[in-house]
Amino acid sequence: MSAYVRLLSDRLDFLEFKQNILLLKQPQHKASVFHELKLEDFLKIRDFSAEIEEKILSGSRITISDYEKELFIIWPPIKMYPSASTLVAKALMSEDNFSTLFKYFN
């Protein structure tokens, strides 16, 4: 894939992510922290989420807490948003992998 096509694809993914955040967030919460998110940070978050999905599919025991800790390291401003890790996971992961994150939550 050419660099230009890759850039367009990444930007479309970024816009779709932001749209999903607005649609999935709780009505009483403001998602203004995501306004500060830059493309480079999003790409790190997307790649990290893809790695987590691969680990889940390979049978590794990953929890939402594990996901959240690393997510806060990748982009610290996300700590300000309530349930940020859950929202990001729901926007980026398949439904099955998202559900698996909560399998070992208790």
Side-chain angles (χ1 to χ4, degrees), residues 5-14 39 42-43 46:
V5 172
R6 184 56 158 164
L7 178 63
L8 284 177
S9 177
D10 289 345
R11 286 182 179 255
L12 284 173
D13 287 350
F14 184 48
L39 178 62
F42 164 73
L43 294 175
R46 184 188 66 183

Side-chain angles (χ1 to χ4, degrees), residues 73-84:
I73 292 169
I74 293 171
W75 194 56
I78 206 165
K79 290 179 190 178
M80 298 184 312
Y81 188 84
S83 304

Side-chain angles (χ1 to χ4, degrees), residues 1 4 11-12 22-23 28-29 31 35 37 41 45 48 51 63 69 73-74 77-78 88-90 100 105:
M1 183 180 307
Y4 180 71
R11 286 182 179 255
L12 284 173
L22 291 174
L23 294 173
Q28 68 273 22
H29 292 158
H35 175 71
L37 183 66
D41 297 320
I45 291 169
F48 166 66
E51 289 173 19
T63 66
K69 287 175 191 172
I73 292 169
I74 293 171
I78 206 165
V88 170
K90 188 158 186 80
T100 302
F105 192 62

Side-chain angles (χ1 to χ4, degrees), residues 13-30:
D13 287 350
F14 184 48
L15 291 172
E16 183 179 19
F17 171 77
K18 284 192 167 189
Q19 179 184 16
N20 285 337
I21 292 296
L22 291 174
L23 294 173
L24 295 170
K25 73 175 187 62
Q26 295 293 322
Q28 68 273 22
H29 292 158
K30 294 182 180 179

Side-chain angles (χ1 to χ4, degrees), residues 1 3 9 15 19 36 38 42-43 55 57 70 86 96:
M1 183 180 307
S9 177
L15 291 172
Q19 179 184 16
E36 301 169 13
K38 304 292 183 219
F42 164 73
L43 294 175
K55 288 179 181 180
L57 291 173
E70 186 65 27
T86 303
D96 290 340

